[in-house]
Amino acid sequence: MSVNPFETVADTVDTSPKISDEVKFTTCYMCACRCGIKVHLKDDKVRYIEGNRDHPVNKGVLCAKGSAGIMQHYSPARLTKPLKRVGERGSGEFKEIEWEEALGTATQWLSKIRDNDPRKLAFFTGRDQSQGLTGFWASQFGTPNHAAHGGFCSVNMAAAGLYTIGGSFWEFGEPDWEHTRYFLMFGVAEDHDSNPIKTGLGKLKTRGAKFVSINPVKTGYSAIADEWIGIKPGTDGLFILAIVHELLKSNQIDLDYLVRYTNAPWLVIQDEGSEDHGLFARDDDGSPLCWNKATNTLAPALATDISPAIAGSFTLPDGRTAVPSFQLLAERYLSEEYSPETAEKQCGIEARTIKRISAEIGRVAFEDTIELDVAWTDWAGRKHDKMIGRPVAMHAMRGISAHSNGFHTCRALHVLQILIGSIDAPGGFRYKPPFPKPAPPPLKPAGKVDQVRPNTPMPGPPLGFPTGPEDLLVEPNGQPRRIDKAFSWEAPLSAHGVMHMVLNNAWKGDPYPIDTLFMYMANMGWNSSMNVPDTIKMMTDKDEVTGDYKIPKIIYSDAFYSETIPYADIILPDTTYLERWDCISLLDRPICDADGVADSIRQPVVKPDRDVRPFQDVLIELGARLGLPAFTTEEGTPKYPGGYPDYIVNHERGPGIGPLAGFRGADGLSEGKGEINPKQLDQYVENGCFWRHEFNPTERYFKHSNKAYLEKAVDLGLIGAPNQIILQLYVEPLQKFRLAAEGHGDIQPPDEHRDRIKTYFDPLPIYYTPFEEAISDTNTFPMHALTQRPMAMYHSWGSQNAWLRQIHGFNKLYMSRTRAKKMEINNDDWVYVSSPQGKLKAQVQLMEGVNEDTVWTWNAIGKRRGAWNLSPDAPEGTKGFLLNHIISQLLPEQGSGYRYANSDPITGQAAWFDLRVKIEKAGPNKPGELTEPQFETMKVSSTVPRGNPTSRYGEKDK
Ligand code: SF4
């Protein structure tokens, strides 16, 4: 008799053995997604990690990275004690010191700076999830030189969204997974919003909604798309605007939506050469005007009892002409410049495909309308019986953002969504609280001349949203005031700072020398820098006269022995994410979803077994030692002696508003705002380490204009007033910068920046060829080169993880099979990849799903040999490589000899994906071939214990 193999397995395998003697809830930190987890412990050791089924982010789903958190926690690369450099920078020669010496030295260095010129401290963090604290600390210290890694990640996406719709994708918003019938995804980074996107795509596929992926590479999410459009990198903006062209031509625009919720009817002054040309016409109170068709008169644009015109040309009381902003928009995108036939030549996508996609969008948006039987009231008190939606949703991330034309591309995508009326409508894009906020949020960066003074906090945060030249951080002569040149004429709207320029500028002393570079979780010595070889030189270069390092002092905090550690002078060893308190705050990047507001915590599930401290505790202690007002009592004692958990509970940013919004008030029953609750953390722990408030059905859509939602948002402390959030098709602040460049106003750019500002500060989205492509010899460098994260890795942490290394131990250069055939390149051949910046050698992997003019590879797999306590023979070092080595952080000299950053001219976003390369065969394959360039093998400090990571962790517990 045959045996059923499945029954045999069921009989003999215990699929649910008892594996732990304790289970603790916390939040995953293996990527940016912040899923809830249950950590199973046995004998005080982490035995198993499981997804928390009740958690709003992941609902129990756990990815490969999340499960492999055990190997992160027990990594042999963990730092074990504070270190002080005793050899030359880069030598890896350190001595172990006590925390008192480490903190004493840091305090001594930092107090001297604060006593004299706080700007001499540059404080930059990487994948830090405590930016609510780090930004506040910088402001208290008094330095504007602070940002996290957003400038080289996706600030184009964030800034374009925040200036256009008061929200954006990823943590700011999500597709309406339940109702969308047509979903377009542009160039998404696979490591962001990972589990929610995966579960969302599962829902879409189950319902049979169409999923179109526009991406040069068909991997990850794109691999399950119903249609893949292998666009040429950097041309997405033109593709999107060609769709706008088609929708305008076919009249598939939601005009009612535009009139109610956007600035489409607002009149724009047409008076070329005048100081207000291109600005909105306003009444004496400064309110925008429109043309009321019912009375044929001017009317306040925010009035509700009028019939505004969105096309035409009208005369203002002073005799000048003004037109609705929609008129300008329609004129621009109906021109041939944005036709599918023009786009075809640039994007490599046939015009008929663009026309078909446009028609599909139009059909689904206007013929497959969704009606939810939910009555709601808009901001003006108008009652609506139903919620009517356009079920077309879009999502995008770094792929379209990390180009020098990325801001306008991302804005174009939001404009497209506005035109079809799908922003926060059922079936479309949905805001996640605390968004929407006014577009842009009413927060200006601090750091002007009178805002930076010795021993004085700045009056506001270092990052914000300028709305005109008067908000820039520039000297009277127009030179930048920040070390990264954020909020200067080089990158006026750099809402996340320009971290990738910090080392270069600090090394050059441009715009001024700094004293101390203080970094947290930022692997600037390797994969977080463009142009790694020069970056290493900048950290080690000395002044020929004084013999001192050109960047005099570097303090660095991290949990692991990364490639950056040997270049720091003092190392403050951090814990792993399983050993500390953390706060995933609404003041930073929370874990909300479109149907609810939420935040969460991490609690220590195990005690550190090394002499390490959570960085947030260290920062708070440094704040007290330095006497920063918010971290010190009036008596001069530490205000938060209990460290970060003490701060999380007791710090108030405004009356009743603290880092956590849940379980507030003396009884723990208040939400959003409320008195301090000493038991708040206990209540979070009891609730699985998160808090969530679910919205009523009437509050869930049209949040930008929904009275019930806006009032709720005020009650919860998410926004200041329940005013309508107007969607900005036309971004007036951009025109203000342009007018300054044309010679108007008191604050104007230096002459060398005028043309650049005039060209790129267009209040309506434009398309232009990415800078590197525009200035390169495209015959010499005919191909695009991209990197992307694999789903199983999150930045450089992942590729040192004993389990995850088995998925991606090294990376190859992926290339189109068709293109390779023409070049006589075969699978596994070694090739040279050259750019105007440099050359590297890598092994080729051929594939079908990639744009023929594009090569790509996984990022952050390649490691410097010896780093992360990996063996010098580890494949990550011998066969892995970084594309960063051949990307320049600067553009070539242009005219005046000045070199701009290789960045978007509006936000300063690093243009990683503009890279142009040529590919050449490297000769016959030889055994033992290594990737190039190879750097000197990194010497890991003798103070870091050697260890053998085991992939059979826990086997002995069986
Ligand atoms: S998606 Fe990110 S946060 Fe969620 S389990 Fe995976 S690694 Fe952790």
Side-chain angles (χ1 to χ4, degrees):
M1 193 177 88
S2 67
V3 176
N4 179 340
F6 300 105
E7 277 176 15
T8 308
V9 170
D11 287 347
T12 57
V13 175
D14 177 3
T15 52
S16 300
K18 182 165 166 40
I19 45 123
S20 57
D21 39 43
E22 193 178 7
V23 180
K24 286 187 177 169
F25 289 86
T26 190
T27 304
C28 184
Y29 202 158
M30 292 295 288
C31 85
C33 190
R34 292 157 281 196
C35 297
I37 52 173
K38 290 162 75 176
V39 182
H40 293 249
L41 301 159
K42 189 165 188 182
D43 303 329
D44 291 329
K45 295 205 85 181
V46 182
R47 184 65 188 86
Y48 172 59
I49 299 177
E50 182 189 4
N52 175 2
R53 284 165 198 260
D54 299 321
H55 198 273
V57 171
N58 56 321
K59 300 176 180 69
V61 175
L62 193 73
C63 76
K65 303 180 291 266
S67 318
I70 303 178
M71 289 292 104
Q72 206 79 354
H73 177 67
Y74 292 117
S75 161
R78 288 180 311 175
L79 295 163
T80 53
K81 200 164 172 67
L83 300 174
K84 178 180 175 182
R85 180 177 58 77
V86 291
E88 293 291 308
R89 278 198 192 149
S91 67
E93 289 169 29
F94 287 99
K95 85 167 184 182
E96 290 186 341
I97 55 174
E98 299 306 321
W99 273 100
E100 185 50 41
E101 183 180 348
L103 293 174
T105 306
T107 307
Q108 196 193 3
W109 292 355
L110 298 179
S111 354
K112 211 164 143 201
I113 296 173
R114 196 159 178 267
D115 285 345
N116 295 292
D117 180 359
R119 287 194 305 166
K120 301 269 173 162
L121 169 65
F123 175 36
F124 285 80
T125 67
R127 269 93 200 170
D128 166 25
Q129 289 184 6
S130 53
Q131 289 172 45
L133 169 67
T134 51
F136 181 64
W137 190 95
S139 201
Q140 283 286 307
F141 184 89
T143 181
N145 290 327
H146 169 76
H149 77 287
F152 63 71
C153 181
S154 217
V155 65
N156 273 336
M157 184 57 69
L162 289 167
Y163 276 83
T164 308
I165 60 169
S168 186
F169 299 121
W170 186 34
E171 69 263 35
F172 305 146
E174 63 187 349
D176 188 350
W177 298 114
E178 302 296 336
H179 299 109
T180 293
R181 291 182 182 152
Y182 195 90
F183 177 56
L184 293 125
M185 183 181 261
F186 292 80
V188 167
E190 308 276 325
D191 60 342
H192 283 288
D193 214 16
S194 190
N195 280 340
I197 289 182
K198 279 178 258 170
T199 47
L201 290 175
K203 285 180 193 164
L204 286 193
K205 300 288 285 185
T206 308
R207 287 195 292 103
K210 182 165 180 182
F211 167 22
V212 180
S213 170
I214 299 99
N215 194 324
V217 186
K218 189 181 178 184
T219 54
Y221 306 138
S222 300
I224 59 159
D226 297 295
E227 181 170 356
W228 170 63
I229 296 182
I231 196 165
K232 275 193 196 169
T235 64
D236 306 74
L238 192 53
F239 175 81
I240 295 162
L241 293 173
I243 293 175
V244 170
H245 174 97
E246 284 296 294
L247 292 172
L248 284 167
K249 253 175 71 177
S250 58
N251 226 353
Q252 287 178 307
I253 302 292
D254 190 339
L255 298 179
D256 285 346
Y257 187 95
L258 296 189
V259 167
R260 280 179 193 275
Y261 307 128
T262 79
N263 63 13
W266 295 16
L267 293 176
V268 179
I269 297 167
Q270 301 298 289
D271 186 13
E272 196 87 44
S274 78
E275 63 179 10
D276 53 3
H277 170 66
L279 301 184
F280 289 123
R282 293 176 188 273
D283 63 16
D284 292 344
D285 297 331
S287 299
L289 294 169
C290 69
W291 187 260
N292 183 2
K293 289 186 293 182
T295 56
N296 265 336
T297 56
L298 288 169
L302 298 177
T304 52
D305 52 353
I306 56 171
S307 175
I310 62 164
S313 176
F314 306 98
T315 305
L316 297 172
D318 62 9
R320 296 188 298 171
T321 300
V323 300
S325 67
F326 182 77
Q327 170 81 30
L328 295 174
L329 182 150
E331 280 169 15
R332 173 170 295 176
Y333 304 124
L334 278 169
S335 82
E336 250 333 274
E337 197 184 340
Y338 293 100
S339 71
E341 287 74 18
T342 307
E344 174 179 306
K345 295 183 200 114
Q346 302 268 339
C347 307
I349 309 297
E350 288 183 359
R352 62 181 178 162
T353 304
I354 301 173
K355 289 180 183 180
R356 177 177 51 77
I357 297 285
S358 310
E360 288 174 4
I361 292 172
R363 185 185 54 72
V364 176
F366 295 100
E367 293 174 27
D368 273 2
T369 310
I370 287 190
E371 292 192 1
L372 300 185
D373 230 357
V374 180
W376 66 288
T377 305
D378 69 25
W379 65 281
R382 292 172 295 209
K383 296 199 183 311
H384 305 257
D385 294 342
K386 294 180 188 315
M387 291 182 160
I388 299 175
R390 312 275 178 212
V392 177
M394 299 173 198
H395 190 79
M397 219 354 230
R398 191 183 305 121
I400 63 167
S401 178
H403 289 286
S404 52
N405 61 8
F407 177 82
H408 278 291
T409 298
C410 297
R411 236 179 74 62
L413 195 53
H414 292 304
V415 165
L416 168 59
Q417 294 181 99
I418 294 173
L419 291 174
I420 58 169
S422 71
I423 297 286
D424 221 46
F429 159 86
R430 302 185 68 194
Y431 294 105
K432 293 184 193 177
F435 304 97
K437 296 194 175 209
L443 197 65
K444 302 291 168 69
K448 291 184 172 187
V449 177
D450 59 347
Q451 294 177 321
V452 179
R453 284 177 290 140
N455 293 317
T456 311
M458 292 199 304
L463 301 174
F465 303 93
T467 51
E470 65 284 3
D471 296 330
L472 291 181
L473 301 183
V474 289
E475 303 290 354
N477 64 2
Q479 293 309 305
R481 281 193 50 79
R482 284 179 53 123
I483 190 67
D484 57 356
K485 304 189 182 180
F487 308 113
S488 74
W489 291 105
E490 283 201 34
L493 307 189
S494 41
H496 289 175
V498 190
M499 187 172 181
H500 54 288
M501 291 309 297
V502 172
L503 280 164
N504 179 77
N505 297 351
W507 167 70
K508 273 195 194 149
D510 172 21
Y512 46 81
I514 61 161
D515 178 88
T516 298
L517 176 61
F518 185 11
M519 296 187 291
Y520 172 51
M521 277 177 73
N523 197 8
M524 298 298 283
W526 197 245
N527 53 284
S528 295
S529 288
M530 294 158 146
N531 180 7
V532 176
D534 281 351
T535 301
I536 291 173
K537 268 188 229 148
M538 289 167 198
M539 291 191 286
T540 51
D541 197 18
K542 290 185 172 177
D543 185 299
E544 281 176 15
V545 180
T546 63
D548 295 334
Y549 287 111
K550 286 192 173 168
I551 301 176
K553 302 182 188 89
I554 301 180
I555 304 173
Y556 186 45
S557 178
D558 204 329
F560 305 104
Y561 202 100
S562 72
E563 285 90 347
T564 301
I565 296 282
Y567 300 96
D569 306 315
I570 296 285
I571 308 291
L572 306 172
D574 191 17
T575 61
T576 70
Y577 71 104
L578 297 177
E579 295 167 321
R580 65 167 181 247
W581 292 98
D582 252 333
C583 166
I584 323 296
S585 171
L586 282 162
L587 303 177
D588 180 6
R589 295 179 174 195
I591 55 157
C592 306
D593 56 90
D595 289 332
V597 55
D599 59 18
S600 62
I601 63 161
R602 291 194 181 91
Q603 62 162 330
V605 296
V606 278
K607 288 200 185 89
D609 55 0
R610 313 162 311 289
D611 193 10
V612 296
R613 293 187 188 176
F615 176 69
Q616 293 73 16
D617 281 5
V618 168
L619 204 58
I620 287 166
E621 178 162 353
L622 278 175
R625 285 179 181 232
L626 290 163
L628 308 188
F631 297 96
T632 321
T633 62
E634 280 177 11
E635 296 73 43
T637 57
K639 190 162 179 187
Y640 305 106
Y644 198 34
D646 189 351
Y647 171 91
I648 291 172
V649 172
N650 294 305
H651 170 69
E652 284 186 292
R653 193 60 58 87
I657 295 185
L660 290 172
F663 307 108
R664 297 197 69 82
D667 51 10
L669 296 176
S670 302
E671 298 188 301
K673 291 190 266 191
E675 288 168 57
I676 289 165
N677 169 14
K679 295 205 165 57
Q680 193 181 30
L681 288 177
D682 297 336
Q683 289 181 271
Y684 268 83
V685 170
E686 273 167 36
N687 198 50
C689 287
F690 71 91
W691 160 82
R692 181 171 184 269
H693 168 97
E694 180 148 319
F695 297 134
N696 297 321
T698 50
E699 298 162 345
R700 293 187 183 178
Y701 291 95
F702 302 106
K703 295 191 185 83
H704 47 83
S705 289
N706 181 325
K707 191 166 189 289
Y709 172 78
L710 292 167
E711 287 173 356
K712 169 73 66 74
V714 172
D715 287 347
L716 290 168
L718 307 179
I719 52 174
N723 299 330
Q724 182 195 16
I725 287 160
I726 297 154
L727 310 182
Q728 310 284 318
L729 285 175
Y730 187 92
V731 174
E732 188 185 44
L734 294 172
Q735 179 67 8
K736 291 186 178 169
F737 285 98
R738 181 184 259 179
L739 287 169
E742 287 172 352
H744 300 289
D746 296 336
I747 303 169
Q748 296 181 20
D751 286 346
E752 65 269 26
H753 299 311
R754 282 185 194 271
D755 283 347
R756 181 167 144 121
I757 300 283
K758 274 191 244 176
T759 307
Y760 301 111
F761 277 70
D762 197 306
L764 289 170
I766 51 173
Y767 172 76
Y768 51 92
T769 306
F771 292 159
E772 185 164 333
E773 182 172 346
I775 56 184
S776 306
D777 173 355
T778 49
N779 289 324
T780 309
F781 301 106
M783 300 193 75
H784 301 266
L786 302 175
T787 59
Q788 61 169 329
R789 308 277 183 212
M791 261 186 212
M793 300 275 183
Y794 180 54
H795 308 291
S796 48
W797 300 341
S799 43
Q800 54 106 20
N801 182 299
W803 288 350
L804 300 179
R805 289 180 63 210
Q806 295 175 55
I807 302 174
H808 298 282
F810 61 95
N811 53 317
K812 290 184 176 178
L813 185 80
Y814 291 87
M815 188 173 185
S816 133
R817 203 176 290 283
T818 326
R819 182 68 173 247
K821 197 170 175 192
K822 288 180 202 155
M823 298 171 70
E824 298 181 359
I825 292 173
N826 297 311
N827 231 358
D828 285 341
D829 278 353
W830 287 82
V831 292
Y832 287 113
V833 186
S834 313
S835 76
Q837 171 69 26
K839 190 170 183 177
L840 59 80
K841 192 165 112 182
Q843 198 173 14
V844 161
Q845 176 75 49
L846 303 182
M847 66 181 287
E848 308 293 338
V850 58
N851 174 290
E852 260 198 51
D853 296 329
T854 304
V855 291
W856 70 276
T857 191
W858 298 120
N859 196 23
I861 306 285
K863 296 212 168 302
R864 185 162 167 184
R865 293 171 82 180
W868 298 88
N869 218 349
L870 295 178
S871 153
D873 299 331
E876 288 83 357
T878 55
K879 292 184 78 182
F881 69 99
L882 282 187
L883 211 53
N884 309 37
H885 300 321
I886 59 169
I887 305 177
S888 174
Q889 76 271 46
L890 294 169
L891 291 168
E893 285 183 9
Q894 285 158 327
S896 61
Y898 187 75
R899 296 186 70 183
Y900 280 109
N902 182 9
S903 300
D904 184 283
I906 296 167
T907 63
Q909 152 103 54
W912 298 95
F913 296 164
D914 282 1
L915 181 63
R916 302 285 306 191
V917 296
K918 84 172 160 196
I919 309 291
E920 297 163 293
K921 269 183 91 157
N925 292 352
K926 295 191 291 283
E929 197 115 31
L930 301 180
T931 47
E932 293 176 10
Q934 285 290 331
F935 295 75
E936 192 187 340
T937 300
M938 222 176 83
K939 192 173 144 203
V940 175
S941 169
S942 56
T943 60
V944 175
R946 283 268 161 201
N948 263 331
T950 173
S951 51
R952 303 184 72 82
Y953 176 79
E955 192 188 24
K956 65 179 172 20
D957 294 331
K958 274 189 193 163

